[in-house]
Amino acid sequence: GCRSKRAKTHRSMIAVSTRYSSKRYCVIDGQKTAVLTVGIVGSELCLALPALPNDSRNTFGVLNVNGQQCTLRAKRIPIQQRHLLTKAPDPAWNEEYLDFPPTILQ
């Protein structure tokens, strides 16, 4: 019989910054939001943002550590803008920003 060889799949290598690996906060497209850094691709920083209600563009699903499906949104920004990511939300935001559901970070 004929046997087909499966092509070996290679995972893409993405540079990850340990300095920016925790949850950060910034303004993306005019929206105050929490972000998670996914990695660095070329000269861009790839971010995961909370999904917007009723907007499935650029969304992807991930499993959290409890095995629950979570929907996130992808965004790329120039690496030069990484200094705009802050460790704490701006107090002037008065706690009004998009954040991840608690299940994402468990």
Side-chain angles (χ1 to χ4, degrees), residues 9-23:
T9 57
H10 295 281
R11 287 184 167 226
S12 298
M13 295 301 291
I14 297 175
V16 176
S17 169
T18 55
R19 185 174 191 181
Y20 294 97
S21 61
S22 58
K23 184 162 80 165

Side-chain angles (χ1 to χ4, degrees), residues 42-103:
S43 61
E44 293 182 312
L45 193 60
C46 296
L47 305 173
L49 288 71
L52 293 170
N54 307 316
D55 187 354
S56 60
R57 292 175 297 167
N58 297 321
T59 60
F60 60 97
V62 295
L63 295 178
N64 68 8
V65 295
N66 294 328
Q68 298 166 309
Q69 182 71 26
C70 302
T71 302
L72 300 175
R73 187 166 43 114
K75 183 70 180 177
R76 289 159 87 158
I77 63 169
I79 192 75
Q80 296 88 342
Q81 293 180 11
R82 68 190 179 279
H83 66 278
L84 300 176
L85 305 178
T86 60
K87 290 183 180 181
D90 187 327
W93 293 359
N94 295 320
E95 299 295 316
E96 294 179 19
Y97 57 89
L98 285 176
D99 203 353
F100 298 99
T103 56

